[in-house]
Amino acid sequence: MPIQSRNPSTGEIVKNFTAHTDSQVDVMIGESLAAHKVLTAMGFETRAAMLRNAADILEAEAERFGAIMTLEMGKTLKAATAEAKKCAIGARYYADNAEMLLADDSVETGAAKSYRKYLPLGPVLAVMPWNYPFWQAIRFAAPALMAGNTGLLKHASNVPQCALAIEDIFIRAGFPKGAFQTLLIGSDKVERVLRDDRVKAATLTGSERAGASVAAICGQEIKPVVLELGGSDPFIVMPSADLDLAVKLGTKARTQNNGQSCIAAKRFIIHADIYDDFRARLKASFEALIVGDPMLAQTDIGPLVNADALIEVTEQTADAVNCGANLISGGLPKGSGAGEHDGYYFTPGILENIPRHARVYYEEIFGPVALLFKVDTIDAAITLANDTPFGLGSAIFSANKTEQERAINEIEAGATFVNSMTTSHPAMPFGGVKRSGFGRELGAEGIRAFCNVKTVSISSIEK
């Protein structure tokens, strides 16, 4: 895949980039290792000051960075600007809390002194996706750099301007040369980087196939890896729920980022007593959304990222209908389709009566299409919620504490949100189970993921 910016609103190529050569990548890995030694020698206070500088840049230039995101992957400018500001929040969280999160942890063992010590590993390769081009990278970089690791970013090939802008932020913030670098390389070059002895670990957010490949290589090389993969998140609504809130947040949760989010609410599991009411309200809410130019303030949904994405979502929706599902709203390419300069627009859709043999029953649908299911009990809701190979996020809307606790304890997912939509927060661990991956980003777990958790035991303390 060429490394290039292509505007999803028009389909036009904005700029082509020359990939780094193997020799250039080798030099960059060497610089990353050298920067790791410099960062490790610094105290938390010095690293925190630089990371706060990065946060200030992200906040001050949020709209400029947002415009780059919108240009390259099509999210609305208001959403992209908000993403840049969220990155600033994430950076400040780790600047403020890293020293506490990585403090020596005393343990009583009978020795004179014993404790856990968290030490950085070194250069870490981050293979990141296009859908949240700044947040995905920053939520790795902020804890990694604060721990004393360095980052090598292999970003998606369609967001090179985002990748280079992120590298520039850390340079301007005062981080030493090589602390965070963008590798302009194709996916076929990832294995070579992973097998380099100087690269100590990897993190990937992306598809199952990409995750399986990186995990297999890291397994052979005996290197730690964190994977955040796909999701088909359940969004359960029970009779005691606040329906106005459930519809409002359900609409946002399914269509945010133009429907291209791993933690989007994808499967709406609705109790039969309120199904018709919820269905009607959700349909009206979807049909009120404005699809159009993502640079305009009034736009709710911009284009999908590229022609392949538009074709995939269109085919998945058509397959569901062919299998017997009902398309009750939208669900079609908008305008003249995926022509060379037409843009990759898709009207938000709602499917119901989805049979088990339809592709969308088990596949992730990465676009603004909601799947509606009717159930009679909380038991049926939880069973259906777990009837998926994925296990990333989940949500339940209910005022019943027993139903809430059952969802928390029984849904197979990395997160359960009660009466709110699934989101990520810098202070809370983020990740999934089953085919949604393993390991955690963010929170204490995120900064410790790429540390050597060293056991220290001192039998006697000399004076």
Side-chain angles (χ1 to χ4, degrees):
M1 182 178 182
I3 301 173
Q4 63 182 202
S5 297
R6 183 187 289 268
N7 186 347
S9 294
T10 63
E12 296 178 292
I13 297 173
V14 177
K15 188 176 182 180
N16 288 299
F17 292 78
T18 301
H20 287 133
T21 64
D22 289 349
S23 59
Q24 287 176 313
V25 170
D26 287 343
V27 170
M28 295 169 79
I29 295 174
E31 291 175 342
S32 186
L33 184 62
H36 159 60
K37 295 176 182 178
V38 175
L39 274 181
T40 302
M42 293 178 177
F44 280 104
E45 187 174 333
T46 303
R47 296 199 291 266
M50 294 186 295
L51 191 56
R52 290 190 185 99
N53 290 341
D56 290 343
I57 294 169
L58 281 159
E59 191 168 68
E61 302 177 30
E63 189 160 345
R64 181 174 77 84
F65 296 136
I68 297 173
M69 291 184 242
T70 299
L71 173 69
E72 290 197 307
M73 57 73 57
K75 70 174 63 195
T76 64
L77 179 60
K78 58 188 175 186
T81 302
E83 180 174 332
K85 292 179 179 179
K86 182 175 182 176
C87 290
I89 293 171
R92 289 197 181 102
Y93 171 79
Y94 280 107
D96 293 344
N97 293 284
E99 185 171 9
M100 177 270 293
L101 294 172
L102 297 182
D104 293 348
D105 184 9
S106 296
V107 180
E108 182 58 50
T109 65
K113 184 178 182 181
S114 51
Y115 57 95
R116 298 181 188 88
K117 189 170 191 67
Y118 298 94
L119 298 171
L121 296 178
V124 181
L125 176 65
V127 182
M128 293 289 111
W130 50 263
N131 59 329
Y132 288 95
F134 269 61
W135 173 238
Q136 302 276 13
I138 295 295
R139 78 184 189 191
F140 151 73
L145 293 171
M146 281 305 300
N149 294 306
T150 49
L152 294 163
L153 173 64
K154 187 279 181 241
H155 221 322
S157 294
N158 61 326
V159 289
Q161 293 189 62
C162 290
L164 292 170
I166 295 166
E167 177 184 309
D168 184 61
I169 288 168
F170 288 113
I171 293 171
R172 291 162 59 194
F175 280 92
K177 181 182 179 181
F180 189 91
Q181 299 173 87
T182 284
L183 306 180
L184 292 177
I185 58 175
S187 298
D188 60 327
K189 297 293 185 178
V190 168
E191 180 173 357
R192 183 176 182 275
V193 177
L194 285 174
R195 293 195 187 278
D196 191 303
D197 289 340
R198 296 169 294 176
V199 176
K200 303 303 181 183
T203 180
L204 176 142
T205 298
S207 68
E208 287 182 70
R209 183 167 59 180
S213 174
V214 167
I217 296 167
C218 285
Q220 292 170 355
E221 297 295 324
I222 320 298
K223 294 180 180 181
V225 61
V226 171
L227 301 179
E228 191 265 283
L229 309 178
S232 187
D233 289 7
F235 188 98
I236 298 171
V237 186
M238 299 301 289
S240 61
D242 179 337
L243 283 192
D244 288 335
L245 179 66
V247 170
K248 177 183 177 181
L249 293 185
T251 300
K252 181 178 180 181
R254 175 58 281 203
T255 63
Q256 66 174 341
N257 209 44
N258 306 341
Q260 301 165 126
S261 172
C262 294
I263 55 170
K266 298 187 175 83
R267 295 177 298 134
F268 290 75
I269 301 170
I270 315 301
H271 194 279
D273 290 351
I274 56 169
Y275 181 88
D276 290 342
D277 191 5
F278 182 90
R279 175 187 184 276
R281 295 189 195 199
L282 189 70
K283 182 175 183 291
S285 182
F286 267 45
E287 291 175 352
L289 294 169
I290 297 173
V291 180
D293 185 346
M295 296 298 291
L296 300 179
Q298 67 268 28
T299 299
D300 297 306
I301 300 180
L304 297 183
V305 66
N306 55 35
D308 287 343
L310 180 61
I311 292 168
E312 176 73 1
V313 173
T314 302
E315 288 181 349
Q316 286 176 303
T317 304
D319 171 78
V321 172
N322 290 336
C323 289
N326 297 328
L327 181 63
I328 63 174
S329 182
L332 296 168
K334 185 177 186 295
S336 53
E340 183 64 25
H341 302 299
D342 295 331
Y344 311 122
Y345 293 93
F346 188 87
T347 56
I350 301 175
L351 288 163
E352 65 177 355
N353 299 325
I354 301 143
R356 291 178 65 88
H357 60 282
R359 288 175 56 192
V360 295
Y361 193 94
Y362 289 113
E363 292 181 358
E364 177 179 29
I365 184 164
F366 217 58
V369 180
L371 313 178
L372 265 58
F373 299 88
K374 185 191 297 186
V375 293
D376 294 319
T377 64
I378 185 65
D379 298 88
I382 292 173
T383 297
L384 182 54
N386 290 334
D387 190 16
T388 173
F390 300 104
L392 191 54
S394 60
I396 181 170
F397 284 73
S398 170
N400 184 298
K401 289 185 178 181
T402 299
E403 291 174 348
Q404 294 174 5
E405 286 299 317
R406 288 199 59 190
I408 292 167
N409 291 323
E410 297 177 35
I411 293 179
E412 298 163 352
T416 296
F417 283 70
V418 178
N419 295 323
S420 63
M421 59 182 276
T422 303
T423 60
S424 59
H425 188 283
M428 294 290 285
F430 182 87
V433 296
K434 301 196 291 189
R435 300 192 76 83
S436 288
F438 52 77
R440 292 294 182 268
E441 299 175 288
L442 302 176
E445 293 81 358
I447 196 168
R448 294 171 182 168
F450 299 118
C451 285
N452 170 15
V453 185
K454 177 175 280 190
T455 293
V456 179
S457 181
I458 304 174
S459 295
S460 62
I461 302 175
E462 297 198 14
K463 297 181 181 179

